[in-house]
Amino acid sequence: MKFKKAVSFAVAAAMSAMLLTSCGEESEIPDGMQLVDNEFVNYTFYVPDDWTPDTTIDGFLSAKANDNTNVSVQTMTWSNQYGSLDAYFREDYFKKLESTFKDITLLEEECSIENQTVGVQKNSAVKYVYTVGSDDATYKIVQYFSYNAGYLYIITYTGKISDKVNGEEKAVEYFEDHLEELSSIIDNFVF
């Protein structure tokens, strides 16, 4: 009987130790970044410390910089009815964007369906880049689409590239200003 109690106690102590050490520690967060999280997501998403996170929508996380450049993550179940992520983007997703925005241009030379990865696991991805005109401004958008464990992950980065001031179009570099931060966000994502 004493042996069973000793074994039970040892197992309980080992389980407690594992639970304590498996909890996220501050040191696991990449330098200069913060965790954006809510109870409805199944991934780990880090953004720069000085960005403002938004976790108010269940299953959808986003964050923005002071100039309103932003990044978001959306997930959905993947039925694979299109055969590939590229087919899904071109045959469904982008057509919906075209019906939503009258001024949209796909920048084919910046898109890539090869050699793209997302996350610390280097999960295969496809990347699309396009511009959208809206409210007297032009925005440049990069989207990464990656499939993992039955889910499609869409990471979207949006930054302004031009604005109208007194009726005249003026170039701004909000999109370019945060590309290094985007790279860090993509590289530190965890499925």
Side-chain angles (χ1 to χ4, degrees):
M1 187 72 162
K2 287 182 183 181
F3 177 74
K4 285 184 181 181
K5 284 183 182 180
V7 169
S8 295
F9 178 75
V11 169
M15 289 177 65
S16 294
M18 287 190 314
L19 287 172
L20 288 173
T21 58
S22 68
C23 290
E25 295 177 18
E26 195 70 30
S27 63
E28 293 175 4
I29 296 176
D31 286 341
M33 301 188 90
Q34 62 179 310
L35 175 65
V36 181
D37 196 14
N38 71 28
E39 63 188 80
F40 301 102
V41 299
N42 61 351
Y43 53 85
T44 304
F45 177 48
Y46 299 105
V47 299
D49 277 336
D50 59 346
W51 287 39
T52 304
D54 182 359
T55 61
T56 58
I57 301 172
D58 296 349
F60 180 85
L61 299 178
S62 66
K64 67 179 182 174
N66 290 337
D67 61 13
N68 287 327
T69 298
N70 62 77
V71 65
S72 64
V73 181
Q74 174 185 4
T75 60
M76 55 201 264
T77 55
W78 175 247
S79 66
N80 200 21
Q81 74 185 52
Y82 292 95
S84 73
L85 293 174
D86 185 54
Y88 168 69
F89 178 82
R90 293 176 187 281
E91 296 169 19
D92 185 77
Y93 193 90
F94 195 71
K95 289 182 185 223
K96 290 176 183 172
L97 291 173
E98 288 177 312
S99 70
T100 303
F101 299 101
K102 68 177 184 167
D103 182 11
I104 185 169
T105 304
L106 184 62
L107 305 174
E108 287 284 357
E109 66 280 359
E110 295 183 46
C111 299
S112 178
I113 61 170
E114 297 177 356
N115 303 319
Q116 295 296 314
T117 61
V118 170
V120 296
Q121 301 94 333
K122 304 284 185 217
N123 205 55
S124 180
V126 293
K127 177 179 102 173
Y128 299 96
V129 183
Y130 52 94
T131 60
V132 171
S134 179
D135 299 329
D136 290 331
T138 303
Y139 298 88
K140 190 169 183 179
I141 300 167
V142 175
Q143 289 189 300
Y144 290 86
F145 291 71
S146 189
Y147 168 80
N148 188 61
Y151 289 95
L152 174 60
Y153 294 78
I154 304 171
I155 301 173
T156 304
Y157 169 76
T158 306
K160 193 183 287 188
I161 59 171
S162 73
D163 211 349
K164 282 200 177 166
V165 177
N166 299 324
E168 207 172 299
E169 191 165 334
K170 175 186 169 195
V172 294
E173 296 186 7
Y174 300 157
F175 178 87
E176 295 291 329
D177 288 346
H178 301 284
L179 286 177
E180 280 186 39
E181 292 166 311
L182 172 63
S183 180
S184 185
I185 291 167
I186 295 297
D187 289 345
N188 287 293
F189 188 84
V190 180
F191 290 94

